[in-house]
Every structure is written in C-alpha cells, then in structure tokens.
C-alpha cells in the first residue's frame, strides 16, 4: 500500500508544480477540469488486474517509474533527423512534436487562408478557445480511467484539427510524435482534438516513433467529434522504443450518418494499451475498427475496444489481427454495448491471431451488452499457428521455406492493411510490416 | 524419368504404401487408379515432398537423382509439379505475387533471367487466356473463396505457367462438372509433349476419355497390383475394383 501511495503522490506533487508553473497562461477556464481530473486520479490510482478492464495487463511497470514531465527542455532536431521516420506526400499537412512539444521548424501546418485549422493545441489554447471550450474533455471521460485523468490534468500540447463544414481534405494530415533520449525517464501527455463539422472529410495519421531506445511514457488521448454526414479515417501507428510505454485512448463521438474508420498498427513499445472507444450517437452512423498488433520479445500489447451503439440503424465492424512471437503477450477485448434505443444495430467483431512460439500468449475476450431487442451482433475469434499445409503448398511451387513463411505472415497481416484505403499510408505500413518479419528480406525478393 | 522402387511409406504408425514399383519414361502418360484409401494421394504427396509421411523403405529416382533427398521447393525447381487434390486457401497472399515468386524461383534455378513485373504480367495473361481462367483470379488471394472447379483450374493454370517436366495430378478431376473437366483435360493435353511425363491419379475413368493414358495402373492396399493399357481403365469403370482385388488375393496365395 505504501508503494501505491508513493506512486500517486509522485503525480500529485508533480501536478502542484505544474499548476504553479502554468499559472497565468490564459487557461484558467481549464483549471477546474484539471483539478477534478487529478482529484479523480488520486481516488482511482493506477488500475490493477483486479479491475475487469485491466485483467490481463499489469501496469505496475508504468506506475513504479517516477516519470518526469517533459517540460520545456528544448531539443533541437533537424529535418533530416526525422526524414526516415516520415513519409509525407508533397502536399501533406504535417505537425511534428518532439517529446510532446510542437516543433514548428519541422512542421508544415495548413495554410491559414483556407478555413481549415491544423495547429498545435498550445496555439489553439490561445486562438480557438470557443471550439476548445465546446469540445475539449467533453468526450474522453476521466472519471473511469486513471490514464485519461492524468492526461486531462497535465495536457499541454498536441494537435488541434478543425475541418469546416463541407470541406473535404484529401491529403492526409499527419501528426508525428518523436521521442528522443532524455536524462531521466519522461512522460508526455499528448492531447489531440479533432472536430469535423457537417459534411466534411479528413484523413488523420498519428504516428509515435522513437529516435533512441529509451524508457519513456506516452499517455495519449485523442478526442474526435465527427459531425453529421462526415467521414473520418484515423490511423494510429505505434512504433515506440522497445523500452517505452504507450497508453492511447481514441474517443470518437459520431453524429448522424457519419462514417469513421479507425486503423491501428502496433509494432513497438514494451507495454502498450490501445483504447478505441467510438460512440455512435446519431442515427445511421457506421464505424470500422481495424487493427494489427505484432509482438516479439517480451512486448505486451493490450487492445481494448469499446463500441457503443447509442442510436438506431448504426453499423460497426471490428477486425483485429495479432501476430505474436517469442514471449510476447497480446490481448483483444471487444466490448459492444447496444443501448436501449439503438434498434436495428448491426455489430460484428472478429479477432484472429497467430502464435509463432510456444511462449507467446493471447487473451481474447468478446463482451456483448445488449439492451435493445432488434439487433444483430456477432463475434468470433481464432487462435492458430502458421498453416503447415499452406507452407507445403507454397514450397511445392518452388518457393523456399523461409520465404513461404514470410509470405504467409505478411499475407495474414496484409488482410488488415488491405482495409486501409489510403494508398500512401498502406504502402508505408506494408513496408514496416515486412521489416518486422525475421524473413522480411526474402519478402522483398519475392514481392 | 521417374523410377519408384519398392516404396514403403508410413503415416504415424500406419503403413500406407507397401512396396510400390513404377517406372515412367519421358513422353508418357500414366494413370494410377484405385479405390478410396488405396494410397493414391499418399503417393502423390510423397513425390511432391510432404514431410508428414515417412519413407521407411525403397527409393525414388528422378532423372537418376534421389528425389526423396530433395526439399519440396528443390523438386519444384527441378521440374516436379503436383496438382493438389485440395488446393490450399491462403488469405492475404495475392495470386499474382505468389505466381511471380514461384516462377522466378524456378527460372533462377534453371539459370534463366528473372521476369520483372511487366514481363510476368504479359506471360501470365497469355497463359491464363489459353486456359479459359478468369483474369480476376490474379487480383484475388491464392484460392481464397474459389469454387471447387476454380481451384482445380487454378492448379492446371499454375502447371501451364511453371512448365514442369513431371506433372502429377492428384484427383484433379474429382468434383468437376463436364465443362470444367474438359477445360482441365485441354490444359493437360496442351502440356503433353515428348519432353514431359504426366501421372494422372484418379478415382474415375471419366477424365481418361479426354486425357488418354499410355498406361493404366491399379493401386490397391498400398501396392500396384495390375498394369495395362488404356483399355484397363474402361474395364475398371465397367466392373469396379472387386475383380482386381480378387485376382490380387489369388496371386498372393499362389
């Protein structure tokens, strides 16, 4: 108990210093929310495996490290330092963050003339207070979740994206979060707010990368408000250092007839928790929740889906695929809640997993809570090894065994990647996945 | 070209092939017939290199070389091709990608230049047309969601593309309607050349109306018990296998 109290006290003390340091920064309106959030964290503490939603994930490794806030420590990166990490097209909008802080010299924000806002949250605190007050912290509840509470208490920077009514942004908007080596382990609380007004469309990519094999903690919250008849494609690419921790929460509020796709690829991190929580709040909305997680070594990757059907005639589709090697541990929890009024709900969930070693482990858990009476909900999960019949088939056509294996693993992962409609992103991810495979080089040859 | 001598094969502790002898010369078409469970598919799989079977005795020579020592992919590169009775569905692996990988692996082994994407597509499209296979197949995952007939046609298409020297067809005719059967037969006949040998393993005589074999063998309980010309297939069709079994039993007792 003493240890647990210390863990909490560390964050409470940190908050007291944070409040002092940020006094008079013009965000007084947020202070009650921050205070409520840290108070809630003090009550909740870090979750334990006795909490049903954290049954398979012990967050002690995160709780036990006294992470320091990144603060304003200035780290200068040149564009070429991040060159290999990024893949923007010529017209893409890109915001780059270094250790949680917006780096203007590395970024190419939207031109201010065209009504589209893509800027740092720190900037938006100054310029967009109306929109922020209307939406920020309204969706990602910190009452149930200690990590969201911490993020809410400490958030300073991140991305603010506001797509005006009727606007279709075809080029992907990229948010690149780079972590660099620091003297002591740091925690960042990236906070992104995405607002799509009616009839608009956007593609947004969050990419978490590391320049060094360092211990740090990214505690991310993204809130997306998708207006009537709007279309959002959201990509999360997690390639943190193998010693880092990443807890990400994507909370989506969907308006009437809106369409959302959430694509996730988890490749890095020592311990990763990926929360995806769409609420289909308006009639006729659809959402696709698509993910791929690939673990090796002792990586721990926990995917926690919570799909809430709150209105009639909404469709949701969940597809998650896991490939786990060595002693890695993957988790897929897929919870679907169909509220009382959400008649004609059509919800489907599929989780397929490949285990490549004896020690690799997967826990998969569907959970349906249905309070309406006219709904269609299905779920299915598979856990398997690599298909020896398929290996033999490929070999019998002249392909060497290692290449056959690489083809099969890539094919399995690619089922997930093929659901990603933006070609430049898909190709980038296909290359990342090929690199991940031990036999990936052979794949280059056969592709 | 292919010489099987006293081949004994086990799956687990169960002996399936109990001394198979067979000689196939280049340019010949052989048919191996037999009832269910006689060991036909086992023979095909062993020739292709399936590791779940254990060879306990005997040898297989291919062009004078020990076939059983080669890995499945080496056999393929040396020109052995087996059309699967049950082609495997491989979700996520594109047919075009798979075929290009296979073709280039084999070309490399034969000392030929590997084909680039354009050359490959030109070749594939030409072959695919001649076999009446839908070009859309190239954009789909290998065998995924294919009907039974499509899968079998796909095997023949692969065979045509990879140009093997020894073609082994494992019940390629099973479950086909007459139209699909004719397409398969035409594909096989197109490959029938003096430089190539074909072994057609089948349960039914029907395919042999279209692919007329030079020799017919009856495989019973793990042994080839009778061999003859194409007339033997017709006789089996008419009378079934009982009389061959009887003959074999009598011969064993004598």
């Amino acid at each position: 108990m003493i240890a647990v109290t210390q863990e909490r006290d560390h964050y409470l003390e940190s908050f007291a210093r944070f409040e002092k340091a940020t006094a008079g920064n013009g965000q007084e309106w947020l202070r009650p929310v921050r205070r409520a959030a840290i108070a809630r964290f003090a009550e909740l503490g870090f979750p334990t495996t006795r909490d049903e939603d954290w049954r398979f994930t012990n967050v002690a490794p995160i709780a036990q490290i006294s992470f320091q806030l990144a603060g304003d420590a200035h780290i200068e990166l040149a564009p070429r330092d991040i060159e290999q990490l990024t893949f923007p097209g010529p017209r893409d909008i890109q915001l780059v963050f270094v250790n949680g802080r917006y780096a203007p010299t590395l970024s190419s924000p939207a031109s201010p003339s065209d009504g589209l806002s893509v800027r740092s949250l720190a900037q938006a605190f100054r310029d967009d207070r109306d929109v922020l007050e209307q939406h920020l912290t309204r969706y990602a509840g910190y009452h149930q979740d200690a990590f969201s509470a911490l993020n809410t208490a400490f958030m300073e920077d991140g991305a603010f994206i506001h797509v005006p009514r009727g606007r279709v942004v075809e080029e992907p908007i990229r948010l690149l979060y780079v972590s660099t080596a620091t003297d002591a382990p740091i925690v960042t609380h990236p906070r992104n707010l995405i607002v799509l007004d009616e009839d608009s469309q956007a593609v947004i990519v969050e990419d978490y990368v590391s320049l060094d094999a360092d211990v740090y903690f990214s505690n991310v919250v993204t809130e997306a408000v998708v207006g009537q008849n709007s279309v959002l494609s959201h990509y999360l690419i997690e390639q943190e250092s193998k010693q880092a921790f990443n807890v990400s929460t994507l909370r989506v509020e969907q308006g009437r007839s809106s369409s959302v796709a959430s694509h996730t690829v988890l490749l890095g991190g020592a311990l990763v928790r990926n929360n995806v929580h769409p609420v289909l709040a308006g009639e006729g909305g659809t959402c696709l929740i698509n993910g791929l997680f690939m673990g090796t070594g002792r990586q721990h990757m926990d995917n926690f889906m919570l799909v809430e059907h709150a209105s009639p005639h909404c469709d949701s589709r969940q597809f998650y695929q896991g490939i786990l090697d060595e002693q890695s541990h993957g988790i897929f929890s897929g919870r679907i809640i169909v509220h009382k009024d959400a008649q004609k709900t059509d919800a489907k969930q599929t989780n397929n997993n490949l285990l490549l070693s004896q020690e690799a482990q997967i826990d998969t858990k569907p959970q349906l809570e249905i309070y309406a009476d006219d709904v269609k909900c299905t779920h299915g999960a598979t856990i398997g090894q690599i298909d020896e019949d398929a290996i033999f088939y490929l070999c019998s056509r002249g392909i060497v065994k290692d290449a056959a294996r690489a083809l099969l693993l890539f094919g399995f992962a690619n089922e997930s990647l093929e659901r990603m409609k933006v070609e430049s992103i898909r190709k980038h991810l296909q290359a990342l996945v090929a690199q991940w495979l031990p036999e990936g080089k052979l794949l280059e040859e056969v592709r | 070209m292919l010489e099987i001598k006293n081949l004994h094969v086990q799956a687990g502790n169960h002996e399936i092939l109990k001394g198979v002898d067979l000689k196939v010369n280049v340019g010949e078409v052989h048919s191996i017939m037999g009832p269910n469970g006689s060991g036909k598919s086992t023979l095909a799989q062993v020739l292709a290199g399936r590791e779940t079977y254990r060879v306990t005795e005997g040898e297989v020579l291919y062009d004078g070389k020990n076939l059983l020592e080669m890995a499945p992919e080496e056999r393929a590169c040396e020109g052995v091709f087996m059309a699967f009775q049950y082609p495997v569905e491989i979700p996520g692996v594109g047919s075009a990608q798979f075929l290009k990988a296979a073709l280039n692996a084999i070309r490399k082994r034969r000392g030929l230049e590997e084909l680039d994407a354009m050359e490959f597509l030109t070749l594939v499209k030409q072959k695919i047309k001649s076999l009446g296979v839908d070009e859309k197949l190239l954009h789909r995952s290998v065998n995924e969601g294919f009907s039974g007939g499509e899968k079998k046609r796909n095997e023949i298409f692969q065979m045509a593309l990879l140009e093997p020297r020894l073609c082994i067809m494992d019940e390629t005719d099973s479950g086909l309607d007459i139209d699909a059967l004719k397409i398969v037969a035409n594909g096989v006949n197109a490959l029938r050349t003096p430089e190539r040998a074909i072994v057609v393993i089948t349960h039914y005589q029907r395919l042999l109306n279209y692919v007329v074999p030079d020799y017919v063998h009856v495989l019973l309980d793990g042994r080839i018990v009778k061999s003859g010309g194409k007339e033997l297939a017709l006789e089996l069709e008419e009378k079934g296998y009982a009389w061959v079994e009887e003959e074999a039993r009598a011969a064993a007792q004598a």
Side-chain angles (χ1 to χ4, degrees), chain A residues 382-397:
Chain A
T382 63
I383 299 168
Q385 279 84 39
I386 206 156
D387 181 358
E388 290 299 329
D389 289 338
I391 295 260
F392 177 59
Y393 188 77
L394 295 174
C395 289
S396 79
R397 298 301 181 248

Side-chain angles (χ1 to χ4, degrees), chain A residues 34 81 113 203 245 253 306 313 322 352 357 366 381 443:
Chain A
R34 292 188 190 276
D81 294 330
S113 59
V203 177
F245 306 98
E253 184 79 359
L306 171 53
H313 296 285
N352 296 326
S357 82
L443 205 57

Side-chain angles (χ1 to χ4, degrees), chain B residues 16 25 42 51 61 72 86 100 111 123 133 135 145 148 168 183-185 203 215-217 224 251-254:
Chain B
I16 301 175
N25 294 312
T42 301
E51 282 158 4
L61 299 177
Y86 303 112
K100 183 161 167 266
L123 176 67
V133 176
E135 225 181 88
I168 303 157
I183 291 173
V184 165
H203 193 75
Y215 301 96
V216 173
H217 311 274
I224 287 180
Q253 276 163 7

Side-chain angles (χ1 to χ4, degrees), chain A residues 399 403 406-408 410-411 414 417-418 423 426-437 439-447, chain B residues 92-94 96-102 104 114-117 120:
Chain A
I399 298 169
L407 263 178
L408 286 182
F410 184 82
N414 201 35
L417 303 181
E418 288 286 345
E423 197 189 4
R426 187 176 63 242
K427 290 218 156 127
H428 174 72
L429 287 168
Q430 284 170 333
L432 283 180
V433 165
Q435 268 172 35
W436 184 94
L437 297 169
E439 306 91 346
K441 277 221 167 61
L442 294 167
L443 205 57
E444 290 302 306
E445 263 175 47
V446 301
R447 275 173 78 192
Chain B
V93 177
Q97 180 191 15
F98 157 63
L99 292 170
K100 183 161 167 266
N104 277 336
E114 292 183 45
L115 298 184
D116 66 25
F120 168 75

Side-chain angles (χ1 to χ4, degrees), chain A residues 405-425:
Chain A
R405 207 178 123 88
L407 263 178
L408 286 182
L409 289 176
F410 184 82
F412 181 83
N414 201 35
E415 280 186 82
S416 178
L417 303 181
E418 288 286 345
R419 294 191 190 97
M420 305 176 180
K421 296 295 170 225
V422 183
E423 197 189 4
S424 62
I425 303 172

